[in-house]
Amino acid sequence: MVAAGAELADEVGLGALTMGGLAERVGVRTPSLYKHVAGQEDLVRRIAALALSESAVAIGTAIQGLAGRDALAAAAQAFRAYVLAHPGRYAATVGLEPAGQDDPLVAAGVRALAAFRAVLRGYDLPAAEEDHALRTLRSAFHGFATLQAARGFQWSADVDESFGWMVDLLDRGLRRA
Amino acid sequence: MVAAGAELADEVGLGALTMGGLAERVGVRTPSLYKHVAGQEDLVRRIAALALSESAVAIGTAIQGLAGRDALAAAAQAFRAYVLAHPGRYAATVGLEPAGQDDPLVAAGVRALAAFRAVLRGYDLPAAEEDHALRTLRSAFHGFATLQAARGFQWSADVDESFGWMVDLLDRGLRRA
DNA sequence: TCCTGCAGCTAAAGCCGTTAGCCAAAAGCT
DNA sequence: AGCTTTTGGCTAACGGCTTTAGCTGCAGGA
């Protein structure tokens, strides 16, 4: 149910994810969906939780055995690959309030952050700066991925190359120049 | 008309910007709006053009007389202030295709990019890397601003401090470590 | 065996965007 | 001034979307 919604969102875009479309995909009439999800908002939340969980394991496995710059590059690649492969799922994760603390969303979010925290452990950062570094990485990766997914990079230069360049810059920056 | 739509989008969020709501705001029945805009998509495009134009002048004036790190910090501050003050307008700018080349959107986009290009001129970058640097700055600022606007930074550390930290990192990175 | 609850269905309401077609007033031309 | 055209509003209506209400059959446990 949620999995089918996630697939559909990846194919048509989160904005075009419709209850009717999902019903058709799973071979059911639209109102029947409400026996499984509370509504469209609930559906999107669950897709978001799925996306956070999946991306967390993707990044987590990508950085296994790596440290420092290698870990950063691997995490960045894994993150971007996930977002490009699953744009609908990822779009679901942005701009949602975590309702309650038993929300599976926060658990999934924490796991995703943990993967990036692991990357930062390879750099000698003062503890007080770890949160700043985490936010910086998240902003840069999130920004790049969403801009690319939205066709935000229209002009010439190669996008992969730009991404590598950005990762290099972040690595230099994290190593305290 | 577009200005009213931009205000409304800032207040209720771009996703909740509705033709009926805009009509009520300007004191008119809904179908009358179609004498001024071609439809909702057209409305959003025009709001986006407004946002790009406004943010371009905000950043442009902020960096006047500054160079290097000072210019970068000023541009970053101006950009973030604009996005936080006008989240609806800014949200309109992400994820749109520029239709025609006479589209006022591309002109406004070029002006916005020019402001960041001016900042980069204060660093000694090889010409081949300017596009990469531009994309990096855009990703980092866009990511940070949208994550903050979406209340994406839930945990403790001070957000302004994190932003400053990120700008420092970018500055170091741009100065080729 | 009976009964409870799950998972589907139809019907219908309400909101949104959009189009068609009408009309008055303002603006512009002779 | 008088006619004409454009402008900007209106009502009515359609189609699509989400969501609720209420019914029904069926599976699995008491």
Side-chain angles (χ1 to χ4, degrees):
Chain A
M1 173 90 270
V2 174
E7 274 179 38
L8 188 54
D10 286 339
E11 289 170 24
V12 303
L14 184 69
L17 174 63
T18 186
M19 296 301 261
L22 176 56
E24 192 179 358
R25 151 100 34 149
V26 300
V28 130
R29 302 294 187 139
T30 310
S32 304
L33 296 179
Y34 290 78
K35 293 291 164 75
H36 301 276
V37 293
Q40 203 172 25
E41 188 185 322
D42 179 47
L43 173 65
V44 172
R45 296 180 77 80
R46 298 200 202 193
I47 293 175
L50 177 67
L52 287 174
S53 185
E54 285 176 346
S55 59
V57 326
I59 296 168
T61 64
I63 64 174
Q64 273 176 357
L66 303 178
R69 187 224 156 79
D70 294 338
L72 178 65
Q77 271 306 338
F79 175 81
R80 192 165 76 114
Y82 184 84
V83 175
L84 294 180
H86 303 293
R89 285 159 154 89
Y90 185 72
T93 68
V94 30
L96 28 70
E97 316 265 338
Q101 74 275 38
D102 57 342
D103 200 329
L105 204 56
V106 314
V110 166
R111 260 177 296 156
L113 280 182
F116 282 111
R117 275 214 153 85
V119 170
L120 288 179
R121 241 178 273 124
Y123 294 89
D124 285 341
L125 285 177
E129 298 189 13
E130 186 176 296
D131 278 359
H132 301 324
L134 209 46
R135 286 172 170 169
T136 296
L137 287 186
R138 192 144 94 97
S139 296
F141 293 156
H142 169 75
F144 198 98
T146 56
L147 284 174
Q148 182 179 3
R151 304 214 215 316
F153 298 133
Q154 307 264 359
W155 71 96
S156 52
D158 182 69
V159 174
D160 290 342
E161 208 178 312
S162 291
F163 189 70
W165 196 92
M166 182 175 84
V167 171
D168 282 348
L169 183 146
L170 292 170
D171 174 63
R172 284 199 303 272
L174 287 174
R175 256 201 292 272
R176 345 271 314 103
Chain B
M1 175 88 272
V2 175
E7 275 179 36
L8 188 54
D10 287 339
E11 290 170 23
V12 304
L14 184 70
L17 173 63
T18 185
M19 296 301 258
L22 177 55
E24 192 179 358
R25 150 100 33 150
V26 300
V28 130
R29 301 296 187 135
T30 310
S32 303
L33 296 179
Y34 291 77
K35 291 292 163 72
H36 301 275
V37 292
Q40 201 173 27
E41 188 185 321
D42 179 46
L43 173 65
V44 172
R45 296 180 77 80
R46 297 200 202 193
I47 293 175
L50 177 67
L52 287 173
S53 186
E54 286 176 344
S55 59
V57 327
I59 296 168
T61 64
I63 63 173
Q64 272 177 358
L66 303 178
R69 187 225 152 78
D70 294 338
L72 178 65
Q77 270 304 340
F79 175 81
R80 192 166 73 116
Y82 184 83
V83 176
L84 294 181
H86 303 292
R89 283 159 156 89
Y90 184 73
T93 68
V94 30
L96 26 71
E97 317 264 338
Q101 75 275 39
D102 57 342
D103 200 329
L105 203 56
V106 313
V110 166
R111 260 178 295 154
L113 280 182
F116 282 111
R117 276 213 152 83
V119 170
L120 288 179
R121 241 178 273 124
Y123 294 88
D124 286 342
L125 285 176
E129 299 189 12
E130 186 177 297
D131 278 0
H132 301 323
L134 210 44
R135 286 173 169 168
T136 297
L137 288 185
R138 192 144 94 93
S139 297
F141 293 157
H142 169 75
F144 198 98
T146 55
L147 285 174
Q148 183 178 4
R151 305 215 213 315
F153 298 134
Q154 307 264 359
W155 70 95
S156 52
D158 182 70
V159 174
D160 290 343
E161 207 178 312
S162 291
F163 190 70
W165 195 92
M166 181 175 84
V167 171
D168 282 349
L169 183 146
L170 291 170
D171 174 65
R172 284 199 303 271
L174 286 175
R175 255 202 291 272
R176 341 279 308 105

